[in-house]
């Protein structure tokens, strides 16, 4: 199984 | 470690006063919470660093210690790195996986053999009845 990760800028605390 | 309320962020704090344990929630700034929760870029796993550099990254499940989200800070910018898609790849068959045409041929062969067996069985039972 292959997993794709995506990075996004976080405005606040997740 | 932190409590989030509409009024802001607080950190639990306990002190012993005259034999009584006093629990306080001290207000802390959001940036304090961010710094406490975020992983430094250099200390994040390699594939997480790649995701931040290039936007996305695709890795094998075996190379991931734990499938989870990452909150990372790099040069003052905060990033959320999270799994978005899983692709199931069939492994283990490799060259043994017969081509479609071969599967069809095997299936057709099975039908022909089955019908031939029925005809032959009919002949055998007819012969048995005649000899009796």
């Amino acid at each position: 199984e292959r997993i794709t990760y995506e990075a996004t800028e976080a405005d606040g605390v997740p | 470690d932190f409590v989030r309320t509409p009024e802001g962020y607080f950190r639990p704090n306990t002190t012993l006063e005259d034999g009584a344990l006093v629990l306080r929630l001290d207000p802390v700034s959001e940036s304090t919470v961010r710094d406490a929760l975020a992983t430094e870029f250099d200390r994040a796993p390699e594939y997480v660093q790649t995701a931040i550099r290039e936007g996305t990254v695709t890795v094998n499940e075996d190379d991931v210690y734990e499938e989870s989200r990452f909150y990372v800070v790099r040069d003052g910018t905060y990033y959320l790195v999270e799994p978005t898609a899983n692709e199931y790849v069939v492994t283990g068959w490799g060259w043994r996986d017969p081509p479609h045409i071969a599967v069809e041929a095997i299936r057709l062969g099975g039908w022909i053999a089955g019908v031939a067996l029925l005809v032959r069985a009919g002949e055998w039972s007819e012969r048995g009845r005649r000899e009796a």
Side-chain angles (χ1 to χ4, degrees), chain B residues 55-70:
Chain B
T56 64
V57 70
T58 300
V59 286
N60 279 321
E61 185 185 27
D62 299 342
D63 300 331
V64 177
Y65 174 64
E66 191 186 10
E67 192 182 328
S68 61
R69 309 198 304 169
F70 292 87

Side-chain angles (χ1 to χ4, degrees), chain B residues 9-70:
Chain B
Y9 294 92
F10 298 85
R11 193 195 336 243
N13 195 348
T14 55
T15 50
L16 207 53
E17 290 174 18
D18 296 329
L21 188 68
V22 178
L23 172 65
R24 288 205 322 273
L25 291 173
D26 294 330
V28 290
S29 67
E30 188 179 354
S31 64
T32 303
V33 179
R34 288 188 140 199
D35 289 339
L37 296 183
T39 306
E40 285 289 333
F41 180 79
D42 294 337
R43 301 183 67 179
E46 189 59 43
Y47 63 92
V48 172
Q49 296 187 12
T50 305
I52 289 171
R53 268 195 300 262
E54 298 173 12
T56 64
V57 70
T58 300
V59 286
N60 279 321
E61 185 185 27
D62 299 342
D63 300 331
V64 177
Y65 174 64
E66 191 186 10
E67 192 182 328
S68 61
R69 309 198 304 169
F70 292 87

